Amino acid sequence: MNNIKPKLSTITVDAIAIDGDAMVCENWRKSWQEGKGIEAQDLLPDWEERSLTFLQHAREKLSYQTFIARDSMQDIVGSISCQVWAGPVPLKVVEHEVFSLGAMWALHVAAPSESEKAEHIAILLIHRAFTYLSSLGCKRALFLAPDDTTKKQLIAAGMEKGNMLTMALAGDIDFETNIFKATDQEIQICKETANLDSLVCENWRKMWEEVGIPETGFVHDMDQITLDFLKDARKRLGYQTFVARCDGKIVGTISCQAWEGPFPLIVKPTVFQLGTIWAVYVIPSFRRLGVATALMRAALKHLRDVVRCDTAILIAASYAGQCVYERLGFAANNALVRDLPADSDTVSNSCSDSISSETSTDTETEETNEMRNEFKSQLSKLGVAINNINVNAFLTATKQQLDAVFFNHPQREAIFRVVSKFQSSLDTFVDPEDNWFSQNVRRFGRGFDLKKLSQDPEKLAKKFDLLSTHYDHWTVGNRSKVESFIVKCSKRLQESDGSNLSIMDVACGIGLQGQVLRMLGYKGMLVGNDISSGMIARALSRACYDQVYVANANEGLLVVKETPSLLFDVVICTGAMELLDQPRALKHMADILKSGGEIWVSFQHDTSSTEDSVENPTSHQNIRGLRKEEVNPQMMNAGFDIVSMETCSDAFFTPSPAQDGSLLPVPYLFVVGKKR
């Protein structure tokens, strides 16, 4: 985020309710007329009514919010609108917490004498919209800039070109490709009717799956939502399905129609009309043969010649797809995006210097400090060693972490009551009985092929990016006992607080194990890495690690920001080995350890060879563990001697593939090793 320092300390940004809607409508009109050069007669006669209706719907259904900027005289000098993105394709098929976009529009700044001041006001408004959308759980903000001035302001605020692409549908572009040959096979592109809507639903799901959405990420009525969308789009928006056939077999599909949804359209469609393309899917055996390009050409021709669109707009779901679209002439142009952090505080803190509400900021800081001091005071009275280093660890601790850390503490229940009370006031409390995991446990039982996913690092990272926002709920719901292993291992540290030690947490996730160490009083260096940037962002927000960075443990761990030659006293890796290339990952862990350093690692335990074994609880996810006799050779080959190996029959519980809400215990081997 740009560190913008205002020249004047008199601009404040506030949220405004429905009484600002008339102003939004007027500013929206100005965006079209002043930004895109639309004449007054080219606006729809009921443009204001349409805009007000849109605002009412967006406020009710999409958490719409207007933000305004005021100067020292309390005059409004700018505004911006934002809400959860809806349309122009059926995005509601994916759970909001898994994938959600934020729409930003109607950015308007009253024209001051200094363009620099206008940019500053715009940045304040944009940053506040970022914060708000992030608080709604949106993963990315999108803005279709109406003019170069707005585009410049958006870029100054940190937005950039991304996967939202546009293309002018000029009349002299030839989109005709009805029949073509792919190798020696003839492929035909043709229109289809509603009879194939079920196939569109199926391919729409496959497209999401291929970009990393897990089975658990889809809403239960996904197909019906898509079918309803198709019916409405066919009736109102000129919707059309095109298919690619080879020897009578359908090998690809595409959908297209007029574009609507993220903001109110107030211009006559004969003057300006957007069209969109979505659900582009080609079966794997027919990819890289030009099928997707041929389908795109057919859809673009339909948008231009039938729907009468001037411009096509789409959001590329994958890098490969984006390459296809760009070869056809799509580009980011005036479409800008911004990835949002999982925790809205990250955005808020990064732009706090730009918002001159000094009194309220000081008040908030004072209140926060008072709350933290009271929290520390109450825990200290219960015999808890709490300080400025670990206070945040306690404020975000899960029930499992507290149970592990205070297993034998006489005030264990009282400690939990105090922590849960303060967490509830901060909205960080995860109810052990009612959480995201418990609410969705039945559908989680469907599972997916984790082994296949682990072989594609990019998809694996995206999967955990999506899970990161609820990973604390996940570990609470699955009754993790990994935290107890870390508590036992911590007793091996030579010094009471580990001040002179350094620990690397490999595949750290959201930082739960490092958090346990801080709760135990560890004050040494703590570094974490994970393949998922989403997990790393959450780990950073828990404020327990000195450094965190993105890394694939299969590819090496030596590059640590600012400390490339650092060797560690301890390496931790829990809950991840079953997804790693174990011999390679163990060798990389040995490489970053000092001689005599320790590794605290978990392996899923394969009990299939024992007489009292039960069926592998993760077989439906294509994951198996190691037998005891397999662990020692792997550790030895990586340069470790085993110090201890502990069996845990229920290290965590996984949702049953029966999808009946039951849970299956997953056994682990908890191992401590020493580097030779």
Side-chain angles (χ1 to χ4, degrees), residues 402-592:
L402 292 167
D403 284 343
V405 171
F406 299 109
F407 179 71
N408 289 318
H409 199 288
Q411 298 291 339
R412 175 180 169 187
E413 293 303 320
I415 292 169
F416 180 72
R417 286 195 297 272
V418 170
V419 172
S420 60
K421 179 183 71 173
F422 279 86
Q423 286 183 348
S424 296
S425 69
L426 295 171
D427 199 27
T428 60
F429 178 66
V430 180
D431 190 330
E433 305 302 325
D434 184 17
N435 50 68
W436 179 73
F437 180 92
S438 63
Q439 293 163 7
N440 295 277
V441 66
R442 289 179 181 271
R443 63 186 182 90
F444 288 161
R446 290 194 293 257
F448 45 90
D449 192 331
L450 270 173
K451 183 176 181 181
K452 180 179 179 181
L453 191 64
S454 67
Q455 294 169 353
D456 188 327
E458 184 177 350
K459 287 185 178 179
L460 183 66
K462 287 182 178 179
K463 186 266 184 187
F464 281 101
D465 284 347
L466 296 171
L467 186 57
S468 63
T469 56
H470 285 103
Y471 198 73
D472 50 352
H473 288 245
W474 184 270
T475 58
V476 169
N478 71 24
R479 309 177 201 169
S480 167
K481 292 184 179 178
V482 175
E483 295 81 359
S484 297
F485 169 60
I486 298 300
V487 171
K488 290 180 181 179
C489 289
S490 69
K491 297 174 183 178
R492 301 181 57 82
L493 299 178
Q494 294 179 356
E495 302 166 23
S496 59
D497 62 5
S499 297
N500 297 320
L501 299 180
S502 58
I503 296 178
M504 166 68 83
D505 188 0
V506 175
C508 67
I510 63 172
L512 297 178
Q513 310 320 323
Q515 187 173 359
V516 167
L517 288 172
R518 293 302 190 200
M519 292 168 68
L520 290 165
Y522 175 71
K523 295 180 181 179
M525 173 172 279
L526 186 57
V527 179
N529 64 63
D530 198 275
I531 196 172
S532 161
S533 59
M535 290 286 188
I536 286 297
R538 300 296 289 187
L540 188 62
S541 72
R542 297 178 102 79
C544 294
Y545 290 79
D546 297 289
Q547 296 177 18
V548 289
Y549 66 105
V550 176
N552 181 349
N554 288 333
E555 297 177 356
L557 302 165
L558 287 173
V559 181
V560 181
K561 289 181 181 178
E562 300 177 1
T563 52
S565 60
L566 179 66
L567 294 180
F568 293 86
D569 297 287
V570 177
V571 167
I572 300 172
C573 184
T574 60
M577 291 302 292
E578 47 267 40
L579 299 179
L580 296 173
D581 181 334
Q582 293 170 356
R584 290 177 63 193
L586 285 170
K587 181 62 172 66
H588 292 318
M589 293 177 206
D591 288 341
I592 61 172

Side-chain angles (χ1 to χ4, degrees), residues 20-41:
D21 284 1
M23 174 200 65
V24 172
C25 292
E26 181 62 17
N27 288 347
W28 186 229
R29 177 193 64 78
K30 290 177 181 177
S31 293
W32 285 93
Q33 291 195 256
E34 298 173 5
K36 296 189 73 65
I38 299 296
E39 299 292 337
Q41 64 267 24

Side-chain angles (χ1 to χ4, degrees), residues 85 102-104 107 126 130 140-166 313 315 331-339:
W85 181 285
M104 297 166 55
L107 173 63
I126 296 164
F130 286 160
R140 173 171 282 197
L142 298 90
F143 200 121
L144 195 61
D147 54 68
D148 289 341
T149 298
T150 304
K151 181 178 178 179
K152 180 182 177 183
Q153 293 167 347
L154 294 167
I155 292 173
M159 300 195 79
E160 59 187 359
K161 295 180 179 180
N163 64 334
M164 184 163 64
L165 310 173
T166 65
I313 182 170
I315 298 177
N333 296 317
N334 60 335
L336 299 174
V337 305
R338 166 77 186 209
D339 287 333

Side-chain angles (χ1 to χ4, degrees), residues 207-228:
M207 188 213 75
W208 283 103
E209 290 174 341
E210 290 192 3
V211 297
I213 301 298
E215 184 67 23
T216 55
F218 297 111
V219 298
H220 67 90
D221 54 347
M222 173 183 183
D223 289 346
Q224 190 58 53
I225 289 174
T226 308
L227 289 171
D228 291 344

Side-chain angles (χ1 to χ4, degrees), residues 162-167 280 288 290 292-294 296-297 300 314-332 458:
N163 64 334
M164 184 163 64
L165 310 173
T166 65
M167 177 181 177
V280 185
R288 301 186 183 278
T293 299
M296 285 290 297
R297 288 182 177 277
L300 290 168
L314 55 77
I315 298 177
S318 66
Y319 175 74
Q322 185 163 337
C323 290
V324 172
Y325 309 144
E326 289 176 344
R327 285 196 295 269
L328 283 165
F330 278 89
E458 184 177 350

